[in-house]
């Protein structure tokens, strides 16, 4: 009798059951897959995906976009941020244009078939607001709602920073709304107001802390690097005295973070070098630059990383 023999009531019953459980556990344990939502060029053709099984090698799923933008003055879909809610629905927010006071939203059950795109008028009440850039959405498990946050410049509203001709007077802070259903939203509130121009915030929960990665956008002297701050509350407040740069001697923006095995990986756009970079850490204090260990599709721009099931990936690949 071999080790997989099974007889109800026999002495091999429990051994078989254990081996069966172990094999199923191993099977599902091998199914983790990570997706990266991103845009190319200026975002005019819409939503793209890449996938990876190890967080290092990323492959584009197809050249054609999965969703074409319909909103805003410029009809763009930049900075697509996607998360999966508790009910399995995927929620995406995105930048609709360079000078819009809205952000875009759409939802999907499978990342292939999408709801009608709708605008969320997050800054229309601020008549002088110059933009609504790089929105992100995060599920707050403490309050059972979603936090949507983004960067906006309101002239004269915040402490001055040294400017440059290229910045065109932009001086960003992070604002936010919350929602439970993506139909009604709270009033727009200040979310993060440091003594520097800040864009591209993203939140990751690890253990009992909520870490917010962000870009110091100050131009003089040029910072253009990724920093981190943390809070016990997803909704903050987050200390405005942030870490030293966790990125290196290059300009970086658009961080997105995920936990893979023992590491937290933070991916970002080395936008002047036209390539992607990454750092990782086990203790959230010491960061290893692994930009030379990763590969991304050519032309990938700012997006978000998240985990999905094998079934979702197969659907995107057209294998179902």
């Amino acid at each position: 009798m071999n080790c997989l023999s099974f007889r109800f009531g026999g002495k091999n019953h429990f051994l078989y059951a254990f081996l069966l459980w172990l094999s199923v556990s191993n099977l599902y344990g091998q199914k983790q897959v990570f997706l990266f939502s991103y845009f190319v060029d200026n975002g005019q053709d819409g939503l793209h995906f890449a996938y990876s099984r190890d967080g290092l090698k990323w492959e584009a799923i197809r050249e054609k976009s999965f969703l074409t933008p319909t909103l805003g003055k410029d009809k763009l879909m930049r900075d697509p941020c996607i998360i999966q809610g508790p009910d399995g629905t995927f929620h995406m927010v995105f930048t609709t244009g360079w000078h819009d006071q809205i952000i875009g939203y759409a939802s999907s059950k499978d990342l292939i078939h999408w709801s009608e795109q709708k605008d969320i008028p997050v800054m229309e009440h601020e008549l002088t607001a110059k933009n609504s850039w790089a929105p992100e959405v995060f599920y707050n498990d403490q309050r059972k709602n979603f936090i949507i946050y983004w960067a906006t410049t309101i002239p004269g509203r915040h402490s001055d920073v040294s400017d440059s001709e290229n910045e065109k007077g932009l001086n960003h802070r992070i604002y936010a709304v919350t929602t439970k259903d993506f139909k009604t939203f709270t009033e727009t509130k200040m979310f993060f107001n440091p003594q520097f121009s800040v864009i591209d915030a993203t939140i990751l929960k690890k253990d009992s802390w909520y870490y917010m990665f962000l870009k110091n956008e100050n131009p003089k002297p040029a910072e253009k690097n990724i920093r981190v701050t943390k809070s016990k509350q997803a909704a903050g407040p987050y200390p405005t005295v942030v870490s030293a740069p966790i990125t290196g001697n290059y300009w970086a923006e658009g961080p997105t973070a995920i936990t893979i095995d023992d590491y937290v990986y933070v991916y970002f756009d080395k936008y002047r070098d036209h390539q992607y970079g990454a750092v990782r850490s086990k203790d959230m204090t010491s960061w290893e630059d692994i930009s030379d260990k990763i590969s991304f599709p050519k032309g990938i721009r700012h997006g978000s990383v998240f985990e999905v099931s094998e079934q979702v990936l197969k659907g995107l690949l057209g294998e179902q």
Side-chain angles (χ1 to χ4, degrees), residues 102-135:
I102 63 170
I103 60 174
Y105 168 77
S107 64
S108 174
K109 292 292 187 181
D110 58 9
L111 300 176
I112 301 169
H113 306 94
W114 288 87
S115 69
E116 181 180 359
Q117 297 167 50
K118 75 172 186 178
D119 61 274
I120 306 175
V122 291
M123 298 306 296
E124 285 189 344
H125 63 288
E126 293 282 0
L127 298 182
T128 62
K130 288 197 168 190
N131 52 6
S132 298
W133 279 2

PDB file of all heavy atoms in Angstrom, residues 102-135:
ATOM      1  N   ILE A 102     -10.808  67.787 -10.616  1.00  0.00           N
ATOM      2  CA  ILE A 102     -11.469  66.516 -10.354  1.00  0.00           C
ATOM      3  C   ILE A 102     -10.439  65.401 -10.362  1.00  0.00           C
ATOM      4  O   ILE A 102      -9.291  65.594 -10.794  1.00  0.00           O
ATOM      5  CB  ILE A 102     -12.538  66.203 -11.422  1.00  0.00           C
ATOM      6  CG1 ILE A 102     -11.853  66.049 -12.805  1.00  0.00           C
ATOM      7  CG2 ILE A 102     -13.603  67.291 -11.465  1.00  0.00           C
ATOM      8  CD1 ILE A 102     -12.758  65.503 -13.893  1.00  0.00           C
ATOM      9  N   ILE A 103     -10.842  64.218  -9.881  1.00  0.00           N
ATOM     10  CA  ILE A 103     -10.080  62.994 -10.126  1.00  0.00           C
ATOM     11  C   ILE A 103     -11.043  61.981 -10.738  1.00  0.00           C
ATOM     12  O   ILE A 103     -12.265  62.091 -10.592  1.00  0.00           O
ATOM     13  CB  ILE A 103      -9.425  62.426  -8.854  1.00  0.00           C
ATOM     14  CG1 ILE A 103     -10.476  62.090  -7.804  1.00  0.00           C
ATOM     15  CG2 ILE A 103      -8.396  63.393  -8.309  1.00  0.00           C
ATOM     16  CD1 ILE A 103      -9.906  61.389  -6.585  1.00  0.00           C
ATOM     17  N   GLY A 104     -10.505  60.990 -11.448  1.00  0.00           N
ATOM     18  CA  GLY A 104     -11.332  59.987 -12.090  1.00  0.00           C
ATOM     19  C   GLY A 104     -11.502  58.756 -11.224  1.00  0.00           C
ATOM     20  O   GLY A 104     -10.649  58.442 -10.382  1.00  0.00           O
ATOM     21  N   TYR A 105     -12.620  58.048 -11.455  1.00  0.00           N
ATOM     22  CA  TYR A 105     -12.900  56.817 -10.708  1.00  0.00           C
ATOM     23  C   TYR A 105     -13.599  55.813 -11.617  1.00  0.00           C
ATOM     24  O   TYR A 105     -14.447  56.170 -12.446  1.00  0.00           O
ATOM     25  CB  TYR A 105     -13.799  57.094  -9.503  1.00  0.00           C
ATOM     26  CG  TYR A 105     -14.341  55.831  -8.869  1.00  0.00           C
ATOM     27  CD1 TYR A 105     -13.542  55.044  -8.052  1.00  0.00           C
ATOM     28  CD2 TYR A 105     -15.646  55.402  -9.118  1.00  0.00           C
ATOM     29  CE1 TYR A 105     -14.027  53.872  -7.489  1.00  0.00           C
ATOM     30  CE2 TYR A 105     -16.136  54.229  -8.566  1.00  0.00           C
ATOM     31  CZ  TYR A 105     -15.322  53.471  -7.746  1.00  0.00           C
ATOM     32  OH  TYR A 105     -15.793  52.292  -7.207  1.00  0.00           O
ATOM     33  N   ALA A 106     -13.268  54.529 -11.448  1.00  0.00           N
ATOM     34  CA  ALA A 106     -13.978  53.433 -12.097  1.00  0.00           C
ATOM     35  C   ALA A 106     -13.781  52.185 -11.248  1.00  0.00           C
ATOM     36  O   ALA A 106     -12.825  52.087 -10.466  1.00  0.00           O
ATOM     37  CB  ALA A 106     -13.474  53.195 -13.522  1.00  0.00           C
ATOM     38  N   SER A 107     -14.680  51.208 -11.397  1.00  0.00           N
ATOM     39  CA  SER A 107     -14.588  49.973 -10.622  1.00  0.00           C
ATOM     40  C   SER A 107     -14.749  48.769 -11.530  1.00  0.00           C
ATOM     41  O   SER A 107     -15.272  48.877 -12.656  1.00  0.00           O
ATOM     42  CB  SER A 107     -15.642  49.939  -9.508  1.00  0.00           C
ATOM     43  OG  SER A 107     -16.948  49.924 -10.053  1.00  0.00           O
ATOM     44  N   SER A 108     -14.330  47.607 -11.022  1.00  0.00           N
ATOM     45  CA  SER A 108     -14.384  46.391 -11.822  1.00  0.00           C
ATOM     46  C   SER A 108     -14.359  45.178 -10.905  1.00  0.00           C
ATOM     47  O   SER A 108     -13.781  45.221  -9.815  1.00  0.00           O
ATOM     48  CB  SER A 108     -13.190  46.337 -12.784  1.00  0.00           C
ATOM     49  OG  SER A 108     -13.142  45.097 -13.477  1.00  0.00           O
ATOM     50  N   LYS A 109     -14.936  44.095 -11.359  1.00  0.00           N
ATOM     51  CA  LYS A 109     -14.863  42.824 -10.633  1.00  0.00           C
ATOM     52  C   LYS A 109     -13.697  41.964 -11.101  1.00  0.00           C
ATOM     53  O   LYS A 109     -13.226  41.087 -10.377  1.00  0.00           O
ATOM     54  CB  LYS A 109     -16.175  42.035 -10.798  1.00  0.00           C
ATOM     55  CG  LYS A 109     -17.384  42.658 -10.116  1.00  0.00           C
ATOM     56  CD  LYS A 109     -17.250  42.601  -8.597  1.00  0.00           C
ATOM     57  CE  LYS A 109     -18.526  43.059  -7.910  1.00  0.00           C
ATOM     58  NZ  LYS A 109     -18.401  43.022  -6.427  1.00  0.00           N
ATOM     59  N   ASP A 110     -13.225  42.204 -12.332  1.00  0.00           N
ATOM     60  CA  ASP A 110     -12.206  41.332 -12.912  1.00  0.00           C
ATOM     61  C   ASP A 110     -11.048  42.070 -13.572  1.00  0.00           C
ATOM     62  O   ASP A 110     -10.162  41.441 -14.157  1.00  0.00           O
ATOM     63  CB  ASP A 110     -12.841  40.387 -13.925  1.00  0.00           C
ATOM     64  CG  ASP A 110     -13.570  41.132 -15.048  1.00  0.00           C
ATOM     65  OD1 ASP A 110     -13.443  42.367 -15.134  1.00  0.00           O
ATOM     66  OD2 ASP A 110     -14.262  40.465 -15.836  1.00  0.00           O
ATOM     67  N   LEU A 111     -11.054  43.394 -13.534  1.00  0.00           N
ATOM     68  CA  LEU A 111     -10.038  44.256 -14.145  1.00  0.00           C
ATOM     69  C   LEU A 111     -10.125  44.287 -15.672  1.00  0.00           C
ATOM     70  O   LEU A 111      -9.279  44.910 -16.328  1.00  0.00           O
ATOM     71  CB  LEU A 111      -8.616  43.853 -13.716  1.00  0.00           C
ATOM     72  CG  LEU A 111      -8.342  43.928 -12.216  1.00  0.00           C
ATOM     73  CD1 LEU A 111      -6.933  43.410 -11.910  1.00  0.00           C
ATOM     74  CD2 LEU A 111      -8.505  45.345 -11.694  1.00  0.00           C
ATOM     75  N   ILE A 112     -11.150  43.628 -16.220  1.00  0.00           N
ATOM     76  CA  ILE A 112     -11.358  43.627 -17.669  1.00  0.00           C
ATOM     77  C   ILE A 112     -12.592  44.445 -18.026  1.00  0.00           C
ATOM     78  O   ILE A 112     -12.548  45.305 -18.912  1.00  0.00           O
ATOM     79  CB  ILE A 112     -11.512  42.187 -18.195  1.00  0.00           C
ATOM     80  CG1 ILE A 112     -10.267  41.360 -17.869  1.00  0.00           C
ATOM     81  CG2 ILE A 112     -11.786  42.187 -19.703  1.00  0.00           C
ATOM     82  CD1 ILE A 112     -10.432  39.881 -18.121  1.00  0.00           C
ATOM     83  N   HIS A 113     -13.669  44.167 -17.342  1.00  0.00           N
ATOM     84  CA  HIS A 113     -14.927  44.872 -17.569  1.00  0.00           C
ATOM     85  C   HIS A 113     -15.078  45.952 -16.497  1.00  0.00           C
ATOM     86  O   HIS A 113     -15.086  45.645 -15.302  1.00  0.00           O
ATOM     87  CB  HIS A 113     -16.103  43.903 -17.514  1.00  0.00           C
ATOM     88  CG  HIS A 113     -15.953  42.745 -18.446  1.00  0.00           C
ATOM     89  ND1 HIS A 113     -15.410  41.526 -18.049  1.00  0.00           N
ATOM     90  CD2 HIS A 113     -16.237  42.631 -19.769  1.00  0.00           C
ATOM     91  CE1 HIS A 113     -15.388  40.711 -19.078  1.00  0.00           C
ATOM     92  NE2 HIS A 113     -15.873  41.352 -20.139  1.00  0.00           N
ATOM     93  N   TRP A 114     -15.213  47.192 -16.940  1.00  0.00           N
ATOM     94  CA  TRP A 114     -15.184  48.326 -16.017  1.00  0.00           C
ATOM     95  C   TRP A 114     -16.511  49.070 -16.008  1.00  0.00           C
ATOM     96  O   TRP A 114     -17.229  49.100 -17.009  1.00  0.00           O
ATOM     97  CB  TRP A 114     -14.057  49.295 -16.406  1.00  0.00           C
ATOM     98  CG  TRP A 114     -12.703  48.740 -16.101  1.00  0.00           C
ATOM     99  CD1 TRP A 114     -11.945  47.938 -16.913  1.00  0.00           C
ATOM    100  CD2 TRP A 114     -11.958  48.912 -14.891  1.00  0.00           C
ATOM    101  NE1 TRP A 114     -10.768  47.606 -16.278  1.00  0.00           N
ATOM    102  CE2 TRP A 114     -10.748  48.195 -15.042  1.00  0.00           C
ATOM    103  CE3 TRP A 114     -12.185  49.614 -13.709  1.00  0.00           C
ATOM    104  CZ2 TRP A 114      -9.768  48.155 -14.051  1.00  0.00           C
ATOM    105  CZ3 TRP A 114     -11.210  49.579 -12.713  1.00  0.00           C
ATOM    106  CH2 TRP A 114     -10.028  48.852 -12.893  1.00  0.00           C
ATOM    107  N   SER A 115     -16.792  49.672 -14.878  1.00  0.00           N
ATOM    108  CA  SER A 115     -17.951  50.551 -14.766  1.00  0.00           C
ATOM    109  C   SER A 115     -17.743  51.797 -15.613  1.00  0.00           C
ATOM    110  O   SER A 115     -16.637  52.073 -16.096  1.00  0.00           O
ATOM    111  CB  SER A 115     -18.156  50.972 -13.308  1.00  0.00           C
ATOM    112  OG  SER A 115     -17.084  51.841 -12.897  1.00  0.00           O
ATOM    113  N   GLU A 116     -18.810  52.548 -15.769  1.00  0.00           N
ATOM    114  CA  GLU A 116     -18.678  53.853 -16.419  1.00  0.00           C
ATOM    115  C   GLU A 116     -17.759  54.731 -15.563  1.00  0.00           C
ATOM    116  O   GLU A 116     -17.855  54.745 -14.335  1.00  0.00           O
ATOM    117  CB  GLU A 116     -20.048  54.513 -16.549  1.00  0.00           C
ATOM    118  CG  GLU A 116     -20.017  55.856 -17.240  1.00  0.00           C
ATOM    119  CD  GLU A 116     -21.394  56.493 -17.356  1.00  0.00           C
ATOM    120  OE1 GLU A 116     -22.365  55.857 -16.909  1.00  0.00           O
ATOM    121  OE2 GLU A 116     -21.484  57.610 -17.891  1.00  0.00           O
ATOM    122  N   GLN A 117     -16.853  55.429 -16.219  1.00  0.00           N
ATOM    123  CA  GLN A 117     -15.958  56.317 -15.490  1.00  0.00           C
ATOM    124  C   GLN A 117     -16.726  57.524 -14.964  1.00  0.00           C
ATOM    125  O   GLN A 117     -17.612  58.041 -15.642  1.00  0.00           O
ATOM    126  CB  GLN A 117     -14.821  56.771 -16.403  1.00  0.00           C
ATOM    127  CG  GLN A 117     -13.934  55.629 -16.878  1.00  0.00           C
ATOM    128  CD  GLN A 117     -13.027  56.030 -18.010  1.00  0.00           C
ATOM    129  OE1 GLN A 117     -12.338  57.042 -17.934  1.00  0.00           O
ATOM    130  NE2 GLN A 117     -13.006  55.240 -19.074  1.00  0.00           N
ATOM    131  N   LYS A 118     -16.412  57.951 -13.752  1.00  0.00           N
ATOM    132  CA  LYS A 118     -17.067  59.141 -13.211  1.00  0.00           C
ATOM    133  C   LYS A 118     -16.037  60.045 -12.557  1.00  0.00           C
ATOM    134  O   LYS A 118     -14.986  59.578 -12.093  1.00  0.00           O
ATOM    135  CB  LYS A 118     -18.161  58.767 -12.226  1.00  0.00           C
ATOM    136  CG  LYS A 118     -17.689  58.307 -10.870  1.00  0.00           C
ATOM    137  CD  LYS A 118     -18.886  58.150  -9.934  1.00  0.00           C
ATOM    138  CE  LYS A 118     -18.446  57.836  -8.507  1.00  0.00           C
ATOM    139  NZ  LYS A 118     -19.604  57.741  -7.589  1.00  0.00           N
ATOM    140  N   ASP A 119     -16.331  61.334 -12.565  1.00  0.00           N
ATOM    141  CA  ASP A 119     -15.413  62.278 -11.939  1.00  0.00           C
ATOM    142  C   ASP A 119     -15.842  62.531 -10.496  1.00  0.00           C
ATOM    143  O   ASP A 119     -17.039  62.578 -10.184  1.00  0.00           O
ATOM    144  CB  ASP A 119     -15.363  63.588 -12.719  1.00  0.00           C
ATOM    145  CG  ASP A 119     -16.713  64.281 -12.773  1.00  0.00           C
ATOM    146  OD1 ASP A 119     -17.506  63.945 -13.673  1.00  0.00           O
ATOM    147  OD2 ASP A 119     -16.981  65.138 -11.910  1.00  0.00           O
ATOM    148  N   ILE A 120     -14.854  62.651  -9.628  1.00  0.00           N
ATOM    149  CA  ILE A 120     -15.089  63.024  -8.237  1.00  0.00           C
ATOM    150  C   ILE A 120     -14.574  64.453  -8.090  1.00  0.00           C
ATOM    151  O   ILE A 120     -13.373  64.705  -8.225  1.00  0.00           O
ATOM    152  CB  ILE A 120     -14.355  62.082  -7.270  1.00  0.00           C
ATOM    153  CG1 ILE A 120     -14.720  60.630  -7.571  1.00  0.00           C
ATOM    154  CG2 ILE A 120     -14.698  62.428  -5.813  1.00  0.00           C
ATOM    155  CD1 ILE A 120     -13.940  59.617  -6.740  1.00  0.00           C
ATOM    156  N   PRO A 121     -15.458  65.429  -7.819  1.00  0.00           N
ATOM    157  CA  PRO A 121     -15.082  66.853  -7.843  1.00  0.00           C
ATOM    158  C   PRO A 121     -14.397  67.295  -6.550  1.00  0.00           C
ATOM    159  O   PRO A 121     -14.885  68.162  -5.828  1.00  0.00           O
ATOM    160  CB  PRO A 121     -16.424  67.551  -8.039  1.00  0.00           C
ATOM    161  CG  PRO A 121     -17.405  66.653  -7.370  1.00  0.00           C
ATOM    162  CD  PRO A 121     -16.917  65.259  -7.595  1.00  0.00           C
ATOM    163  N   VAL A 122     -13.233  66.732  -6.292  1.00  0.00           N
ATOM    164  CA  VAL A 122     -12.582  66.898  -4.984  1.00  0.00           C
ATOM    165  C   VAL A 122     -12.112  68.325  -4.703  1.00  0.00           C
ATOM    166  O   VAL A 122     -12.018  68.746  -3.553  1.00  0.00           O
ATOM    167  CB  VAL A 122     -11.398  65.920  -4.839  1.00  0.00           C
ATOM    168  CG1 VAL A 122     -11.889  64.487  -4.744  1.00  0.00           C
ATOM    169  CG2 VAL A 122     -10.411  66.080  -6.007  1.00  0.00           C
ATOM    170  N   MET A 123     -11.782  69.105  -5.763  1.00  0.00           N
ATOM    171  CA  MET A 123     -11.252  70.448  -5.539  1.00  0.00           C
ATOM    172  C   MET A 123     -12.049  71.534  -6.246  1.00  0.00           C
ATOM    173  O   MET A 123     -11.601  72.683  -6.316  1.00  0.00           O
ATOM    174  CB  MET A 123      -9.779  70.534  -5.988  1.00  0.00           C
ATOM    175  CG  MET A 123      -8.816  69.636  -5.240  1.00  0.00           C
ATOM    176  SD  MET A 123      -8.848  69.806  -3.440  1.00  0.00           S
ATOM    177  CE  MET A 123      -8.290  71.491  -3.208  1.00  0.00           C
ATOM    178  N   GLU A 124     -13.222  71.227  -6.749  1.00  0.00           N
ATOM    179  CA  GLU A 124     -14.003  72.239  -7.469  1.00  0.00           C
ATOM    180  C   GLU A 124     -14.477  73.367  -6.562  1.00  0.00           C
ATOM    181  O   GLU A 124     -14.786  74.464  -7.039  1.00  0.00           O
ATOM    182  CB  GLU A 124     -15.184  71.580  -8.183  1.00  0.00           C
ATOM    183  CG  GLU A 124     -14.771  70.813  -9.433  1.00  0.00           C
ATOM    184  CD  GLU A 124     -15.949  70.354 -10.257  1.00  0.00           C
ATOM    185  OE1 GLU A 124     -17.090  70.358  -9.728  1.00  0.00           O
ATOM    186  OE2 GLU A 124     -15.746  69.987 -11.434  1.00  0.00           O
ATOM    187  N   HIS A 125     -14.521  73.114  -5.267  1.00  0.00           N
ATOM    188  CA  HIS A 125     -14.926  74.163  -4.324  1.00  0.00           C
ATOM    189  C   HIS A 125     -13.810  75.178  -4.105  1.00  0.00           C
ATOM    190  O   HIS A 125     -14.043  76.254  -3.551  1.00  0.00           O
ATOM    191  CB  HIS A 125     -15.312  73.531  -2.986  1.00  0.00           C
ATOM    192  CG  HIS A 125     -14.181  72.819  -2.310  1.00  0.00           C
ATOM    193  ND1 HIS A 125     -13.673  71.615  -2.769  1.00  0.00           N
ATOM    194  CD2 HIS A 125     -13.436  73.148  -1.224  1.00  0.00           C
ATOM    195  CE1 HIS A 125     -12.686  71.230  -1.991  1.00  0.00           C
ATOM    196  NE2 HIS A 125     -12.508  72.143  -1.062  1.00  0.00           N
ATOM    197  N   GLU A 126     -12.585  74.843  -4.513  1.00  0.00           N
ATOM    198  CA  GLU A 126     -11.436  75.752  -4.412  1.00  0.00           C
ATOM    199  C   GLU A 126     -11.188  76.344  -5.795  1.00  0.00           C
ATOM    200  O   GLU A 126     -10.525  75.730  -6.630  1.00  0.00           O
ATOM    201  CB  GLU A 126     -10.202  75.007  -3.903  1.00  0.00           C
ATOM    202  CG  GLU A 126     -10.287  74.527  -2.478  1.00  0.00           C
ATOM    203  CD  GLU A 126     -10.050  75.655  -1.470  1.00  0.00           C
ATOM    204  OE1 GLU A 126      -9.818  76.808  -1.898  1.00  0.00           O
ATOM    205  OE2 GLU A 126     -10.084  75.373  -0.258  1.00  0.00           O
ATOM    206  N   LEU A 127     -11.699  77.521  -6.034  1.00  0.00           N
ATOM    207  CA  LEU A 127     -11.700  78.065  -7.386  1.00  0.00           C
ATOM    208  C   LEU A 127     -10.310  78.287  -7.947  1.00  0.00           C
ATOM    209  O   LEU A 127     -10.122  78.289  -9.171  1.00  0.00           O
ATOM    210  CB  LEU A 127     -12.493  79.382  -7.406  1.00  0.00           C
ATOM    211  CG  LEU A 127     -13.970  79.271  -7.018  1.00  0.00           C
ATOM    212  CD1 LEU A 127     -14.648  80.633  -7.118  1.00  0.00           C
ATOM    213  CD2 LEU A 127     -14.683  78.234  -7.874  1.00  0.00           C
ATOM    214  N   THR A 128      -9.322  78.503  -7.078  1.00  0.00           N
ATOM    215  CA  THR A 128      -7.968  78.760  -7.575  1.00  0.00           C
ATOM    216  C   THR A 128      -7.085  77.512  -7.585  1.00  0.00           C
ATOM    217  O   THR A 128      -5.904  77.602  -7.953  1.00  0.00           O
ATOM    218  CB  THR A 128      -7.279  79.850  -6.720  1.00  0.00           C
ATOM    219  OG1 THR A 128      -7.170  79.387  -5.366  1.00  0.00           O
ATOM    220  CG2 THR A 128      -8.070  81.152  -6.769  1.00  0.00           C
ATOM    221  N   ALA A 129      -7.628  76.369  -7.167  1.00  0.00           N
ATOM    222  CA  ALA A 129      -6.825  75.138  -7.147  1.00  0.00           C
ATOM    223  C   ALA A 129      -6.299  74.840  -8.554  1.00  0.00           C
ATOM    224  O   ALA A 129      -7.043  74.864  -9.533  1.00  0.00           O
ATOM    225  CB  ALA A 129      -7.662  73.980  -6.636  1.00  0.00           C
ATOM    226  N   LYS A 130      -4.995  74.574  -8.628  1.00  0.00           N
ATOM    227  CA  LYS A 130      -4.365  74.427  -9.936  1.00  0.00           C
ATOM    228  C   LYS A 130      -4.483  73.022 -10.510  1.00  0.00           C
ATOM    229  O   LYS A 130      -4.352  72.833 -11.726  1.00  0.00           O
ATOM    230  CB  LYS A 130      -2.885  74.805  -9.842  1.00  0.00           C
ATOM    231  CG  LYS A 130      -2.646  76.298  -9.666  1.00  0.00           C
ATOM    232  CD  LYS A 130      -1.213  76.648 -10.005  1.00  0.00           C
ATOM    233  CE  LYS A 130      -1.035  78.158 -10.110  1.00  0.00           C
ATOM    234  NZ  LYS A 130       0.276  78.522 -10.664  1.00  0.00           N
ATOM    235  N   ASN A 131      -4.704  72.017  -9.668  1.00  0.00           N
ATOM    236  CA  ASN A 131      -4.642  70.649 -10.169  1.00  0.00           C
ATOM    237  C   ASN A 131      -5.154  69.667  -9.111  1.00  0.00           C
ATOM    238  O   ASN A 131      -5.406  70.047  -7.964  1.00  0.00           O
ATOM    239  CB  ASN A 131      -3.197  70.278 -10.539  1.00  0.00           C
ATOM    240  CG  ASN A 131      -2.216  70.559  -9.414  1.00  0.00           C
ATOM    241  OD1 ASN A 131      -2.586  70.930  -8.307  1.00  0.00           O
ATOM    242  ND2 ASN A 131      -0.931  70.388  -9.685  1.00  0.00           N
ATOM    243  N   SER A 132      -5.266  68.413  -9.516  1.00  0.00           N
ATOM    244  CA  SER A 132      -5.528  67.291  -8.605  1.00  0.00           C
ATOM    245  C   SER A 132      -4.720  66.115  -9.140  1.00  0.00           C
ATOM    246  O   SER A 132      -5.150  65.423 -10.058  1.00  0.00           O
ATOM    247  CB  SER A 132      -7.019  66.941  -8.567  1.00  0.00           C
ATOM    248  OG  SER A 132      -7.790  68.018  -8.083  1.00  0.00           O
ATOM    249  N   TRP A 133      -3.551  65.912  -8.556  1.00  0.00           N
ATOM    250  CA  TRP A 133      -2.574  64.992  -9.129  1.00  0.00           C
ATOM    251  C   TRP A 133      -2.420  63.711  -8.319  1.00  0.00           C
ATOM    252  O   TRP A 133      -2.477  63.706  -7.093  1.00  0.00           O
ATOM    253  CB  TRP A 133      -1.207  65.675  -9.182  1.00  0.00           C
ATOM    254  CG  TRP A 133      -1.012  66.593 -10.343  1.00  0.00           C
ATOM    255  CD1 TRP A 133      -1.910  66.915 -11.324  1.00  0.00           C
ATOM    256  CD2 TRP A 133       0.181  67.323 -10.644  1.00  0.00           C
ATOM    257  NE1 TRP A 133      -1.355  67.807 -12.210  1.00  0.00           N
ATOM    258  CE2 TRP A 133      -0.070  68.075 -11.825  1.00  0.00           C
ATOM    259  CE3 TRP A 133       1.426  67.425 -10.044  1.00  0.00           C
ATOM    260  CZ2 TRP A 133       0.887  68.901 -12.399  1.00  0.00           C
ATOM    261  CZ3 TRP A 133       2.388  68.251 -10.608  1.00  0.00           C
ATOM    262  CH2 TRP A 133       2.120  68.984 -11.782  1.00  0.00           C
ATOM    263  N   ALA A 134      -2.152  62.628  -9.070  1.00  0.00           N
ATOM    264  CA  ALA A 134      -1.741  61.334  -8.523  1.00  0.00           C
ATOM    265  C   ALA A 134      -2.588  60.872  -7.342  1.00  0.00           C
ATOM    266  O   ALA A 134      -2.077  60.632  -6.254  1.00  0.00           O
ATOM    267  CB  ALA A 134      -0.261  61.373  -8.130  1.00  0.00           C
ATOM    268  N   PRO A 135      -3.909  60.735  -7.527  1.00  0.00           N
ATOM    269  CA  PRO A 135      -4.746  60.263  -6.426  1.00  0.00           C
ATOM    270  C   PRO A 135      -4.441  58.808  -6.081  1.00  0.00           C
ATOM    271  O   PRO A 135      -4.040  58.017  -6.945  1.00  0.00           O
ATOM    272  CB  PRO A 135      -6.164  60.413  -6.985  1.00  0.00           C
ATOM    273  CG  PRO A 135      -6.001  60.261  -8.459  1.00  0.00           C
ATOM    274  CD  PRO A 135      -4.690  60.911  -8.772  1.00  0.00           C
TER     275      PRO A 135
END
